[in-house]
Amino acid sequence: MKIDWEALGSVFGVSLVVTVGLVALFTLGIMGLSRQERATAQGGSAALAVTVPDEVAAQWAPVAAARGAVVVDNSGAFRMES
């Protein structure tokens, strides 16, 4: 019996990448649910989509994020920040 080590290595590599991807996806889901529950417990919303002028987003998006909301900002207020 001859073992094709190259094929076995490829299968192992793909399996490892898929496993890490699934674990990361599961972790992000758990973190999202945790944030949602925390925001709901504080009486706030869990997600906020913002399409406002830059000045308004710069003032209010950090307030919402500090209270546990996930803020999706479409303005240019936070672009180019690291």
Side-chain angles (χ1 to χ4, degrees), residues 22 35 52 63:
L22 285 174
R35 285 184 180 182
V52 294
V63 174

Side-chain angles (χ1 to χ4, degrees), residues 7-70:
L8 187 60
S10 294
V11 169
F12 174 74
V14 169
S15 298
L16 182 63
V17 168
V18 169
T19 300
V20 168
L22 285 174
V23 168
L25 186 62
F26 181 76
T27 302
L28 289 173
I30 294 297
M31 287 173 43
L33 286 175
S34 173
R35 285 184 180 182
Q36 179 183 10
E37 289 176 3
R38 185 174 54 234
T40 303
Q42 293 176 350
S45 64
L48 176 65
V50 179
T51 304
V52 294
D54 294 353
E55 300 80 26
V56 176
Q59 180 180 0
W60 291 105
V63 174
R67 294 186 179 178
V70 177

